[in-house]
Amino acid sequence: MDKLINDLKVQIIAQLNLQDIKPEDIADDQPLFIEGLGLDSIDALELIVLLQQQYKIKLSNPSDGPKVFYSVKTMAEYITANQS
């Protein structure tokens, strides 16, 4: 899971073009939205695209979004649980 979490950090930085942030700057449990990285709804769409392109996973229920995208760790847990 540690490799997946680190890979996700790198992918999030690249996908969202976060130029001033390094993977080690993002804590595994740090909130991605509002008080954490400060991501917004446009960034959420980019994260959905990232899940689809990199992991072939579709968010089956849009209301799960806030839970799935809470932190890098929750994203990794969702990927692990839903990858075939």
Side-chain angles (χ1 to χ4, degrees), residues 37-48:
L37 278 183
L39 303 184
D40 60 22
S41 58
I42 303 293
D43 297 323
L45 294 173
E46 291 288 334
L47 293 178
I48 291 168

Side-chain angles (χ1 to χ4, degrees), residues 39-66:
L39 303 184
D40 60 22
S41 58
I42 303 293
D43 297 323
L45 294 173
E46 291 288 334
L47 293 178
I48 291 168
V49 169
L50 176 90
L51 275 185
Q52 291 175 344
Q53 289 179 339
Q54 296 293 324
Y55 300 98
K56 308 296 183 235
I57 295 175
K58 277 193 159 189
L59 196 59
S60 53
N61 186 350
S63 64
D64 289 342

Side-chain angles (χ1 to χ4, degrees), residues 8-18:
L8 274 172
K9 290 177 183 180
V10 170
Q11 292 163 350
I12 289 168
I13 290 167
Q15 184 86 16
L16 303 179
N17 200 23
L18 303 173

